[in-house]
Amino acid sequence: MNKKTIYSLEVYEPGDDRSVAIDMKSDTPFGSISVGDEISSPTMRIGDRLKATKIWHIFWELDTHITHKICVSTTSVQH
């Protein structure tokens, strides 16, 4: 049986990898994010844009599905 894969993206507030600025889930993979990319979303609680400073992937498997989580540390982008 093929398990469903759930994709998760967490973008953290500048300088704080415990405070989530963006949390999204999807049934399809997210596009590529690289260090230095600028990120913005209407769902962010802070500022207009952030810059990715570190990216890591976490994978886990449960009986019902597999999860691929992308975590993104950020810094503020000054206008």
Side-chain angles (χ1 to χ4, degrees):
M1 175 174 98
N2 288 336
K3 292 184 181 182
K4 176 181 178 177
T5 300
I6 297 173
Y7 300 91
S8 177
L9 172 66
E10 280 190 357
V11 178
Y12 301 108
E13 293 184 10
D16 186 353
D17 291 346
R18 287 173 273 160
S19 294
V20 177
I22 301 171
D23 182 14
M24 296 182 171
K25 307 260 188 291
S26 177
D27 291 332
T28 58
F30 291 98
S32 170
I33 298 174
S34 300
V35 169
D37 283 355
E38 291 188 9
I39 300 166
S40 66
S41 171
T43 63
M44 281 195 318
R45 299 185 312 267
I46 57 164
D48 293 330
R49 293 182 308 175
L50 302 174
K51 185 180 283 190
T53 58
K54 178 182 173 186
I55 298 163
W56 66 100
H57 299 259
I58 302 171
F59 301 89
W60 68 89
E61 184 174 0
L62 301 174
D63 289 338
T64 57
H65 66 276
I66 298 167
T67 299
H68 174 195
K69 182 178 185 177
I70 302 170
C71 303
V72 183
S73 295
T74 66
T75 188
S76 295
V77 174
Q78 302 303 320
H79 300 289

